[in-house]
């Protein structure tokens, strides 16, 4: 048999007042337009959702992303913004900076868009693979002499 345990007595606190509901904007909205306050940001796991299969596309910070189509009506706001940004080729690092999202979240969003074939990923152009400028000028001068 164990000895009786003492329980600590806590002072009785006054009841807390209920927090006031957020102020409503025009038309009963409680979003970014309500009293000039922005909405609270979503948690990152809510933005990315559940990745099917757990596989991510092999993307580097310098991989170029180009949008192939407009955002479907069912796309998340982050995906729509990503597709608008990538009308011209843009690196994953730039997309991450413009959307103010971590690289890992952007790779999950891009993986979803790549599987839906809404974007294309291109390897960056390596400067060493470009022909020498003097060689191109020599070819151009040779063609002009013909």
């Amino acid at each position: 048999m164990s000895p009786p345990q003492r329980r600590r007595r806590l002072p009785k606190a006054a009841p807390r007042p209920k927090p006031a509901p957020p102020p409503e904007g025009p038309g009963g909205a409680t979003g970014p337009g309500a009293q000039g306050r922005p909405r609270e940001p979503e948690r990152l796991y809510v933005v990315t959702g559940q990745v099917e299969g757990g596989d991510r596309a092999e993307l580097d910070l310098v991989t170029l992303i180009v949008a192939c189509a407009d955002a479907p009506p069912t796309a998340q706001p982050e995906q729509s913004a990503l597709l608008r940004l990538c009308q011209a080729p843009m690196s994953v690092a730039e997309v991450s900076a413009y959307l103010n999202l971590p690289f890992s979240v952007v790779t999950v969003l891009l993986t979803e868009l790549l599987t839906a074939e809404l974007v294309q990923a291109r390897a960056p152009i390596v400067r060493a693979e470009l022909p020498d400028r003097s060689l191109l000028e020599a070819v151009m001068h040779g063609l002009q002499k013909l």
Side-chain angles (χ1 to χ4, degrees):
M1 198 158 138
S2 63
Q5 300 292 321
R6 289 189 174 187
R7 292 190 183 182
R8 179 177 237 165
R9 291 187 207 173
L10 297 175
K12 292 187 179 181
R16 294 184 184 175
K18 291 183 180 179
E24 292 189 9
T30 59
Q35 301 292 330
R37 295 187 319 167
R39 281 186 12 214
E40 288 191 28
E42 297 288 336
R43 298 275 183 197
L44 295 179
Y45 59 82
V46 174
V47 172
T48 57
Q50 183 175 1
V51 180
E52 295 188 21
D55 295 332
R56 288 190 194 173
E58 294 291 326
L59 299 172
D60 289 336
L61 287 171
V62 293
T63 302
L64 297 177
I65 304 297
V66 182
C68 300
D70 292 333
T74 58
Q76 297 175 1
E78 292 80 12
Q79 290 175 333
S80 299
L82 196 147
L83 288 169
R84 282 192 306 271
L85 274 175
C86 294
Q87 294 300 318
M90 187 173 287
S91 71
V92 178
E94 290 175 306
V95 171
S96 176
Y98 282 125
L99 293 179
N100 200 19
L101 291 172
F103 173 74
S104 59
V105 173
V106 172
T107 55
V108 171
L109 293 173
L110 284 172
T111 300
E112 293 172 3
L113 293 174
L114 284 166
T115 56
E117 297 181 355
L118 295 174
V119 296
Q120 288 181 346
R122 299 180 184 171
I125 299 171
V126 180
R127 189 156 183 85
E129 292 179 7
L130 294 175
D132 185 29
R133 182 179 175 106
S134 62
L135 174 67
L136 291 176
E137 287 177 357
V139 170
M140 183 179 73
H141 290 303
L143 290 173
Q144 286 175 347
K145 289 181 182 179
L146 290 177

